[in-house]
Amino acid sequence: MDKPLPPLKPEFLAMMAKGVSLMLCSCDPALTPSVMRAVGSRIEDEGRRITAYLGRAQAAQLLADIASSGRLAAVFSQPSTHLTVQFKSRRVRIRETREDDGPHLEAYLRSMEQEVAAVGFAPVCAHALLAHAPGDLVAVEFEPDEAYDQTPGPQAGRQVSAH
């Protein structure tokens, strides 16, 4: 799909911009899935452009699958509320991290410390969850083609619109 996604509902955009759990997924040519937790995110243009940060060594299979298939799925979920949105994209680009990514990674870590604390875990759990080797990060930029509300409940699975 080449048409840009309409603006997201404010509650989804606020959750994503805050910094919550983010999982990325792709698959190989045999459709074997690969999944990895992102260690940070950057949200731009009202959610129409998203950057996820991955540890290159930990995410080698996922990065290979994204590079070969050109597609990914991404799921943002807030541990304290279970508010969840899923994106699918065929407009993906892998790049090296830049100096201006640093503040987004730091803000994401601080937000995840709050999120894990809200469900009863110490901030050190967020540090362990998001640990990565210095200099090993890679950025996965994508523009969502589709978005789905995956919050548990009657709206789960419905395509997200701007309203």
Side-chain angles (χ1 to χ4, degrees):
M1 175 185 284
D2 293 324
K3 187 177 176 183
L5 195 67
L8 291 173
K9 291 179 180 178
E11 62 265 30
F12 284 127
L13 191 54
M15 170 191 69
M16 294 164 49
K18 177 186 181 301
V20 296
S21 177
L22 172 58
M23 301 296 292
L24 296 183
C25 176
S26 190
C27 62
D28 68 14
L31 302 181
T32 304
S34 53
V35 179
M36 194 70 212
R37 173 176 298 286
V39 300
S41 64
R42 180 178 189 159
I43 311 302
E44 298 172 284
D45 193 19
E46 297 183 320
R48 291 186 192 99
R49 191 172 55 241
I50 298 169
T51 303
Y53 302 97
L54 298 171
R56 187 185 313 268
Q58 295 174 322
Q61 184 63 54
L62 175 62
L63 292 168
D65 291 345
I66 291 170
S68 68
S69 72
R71 61 185 188 176
L72 68 74
V75 176
F76 287 83
S77 185
Q78 187 170 28
S80 60
T81 65
H82 300 294
L83 183 66
T84 304
V85 63
Q86 177 190 27
F87 297 99
K88 294 182 180 181
S89 178
R90 290 185 176 271
R91 294 178 287 166
V92 183
R93 183 173 78 94
I94 298 171
R95 66 164 172 82
E96 297 298 318
T97 55
R98 305 180 304 235
E99 192 171 318
D100 69 333
D101 293 321
H104 296 279
L105 288 159
E106 184 62 30
Y108 186 86
L109 176 60
R110 298 295 162 240
S111 178
M112 284 297 288
E113 287 174 339
Q114 294 171 357
E115 285 297 325
V116 298
V119 293
F121 294 95
V124 69
C125 293
H127 289 257
L129 200 61
L130 305 176
H132 57 274
D136 186 48
L137 290 183
V138 63
V140 178
E141 296 178 332
F142 64 97
E143 298 174 44
D145 296 316
E146 301 170 46
Y148 298 90
D149 184 345
Q150 296 294 6
T151 306
Q155 302 299 316
R158 289 201 179 168
Q159 193 152 17
V160 172
S161 66
H163 307 291

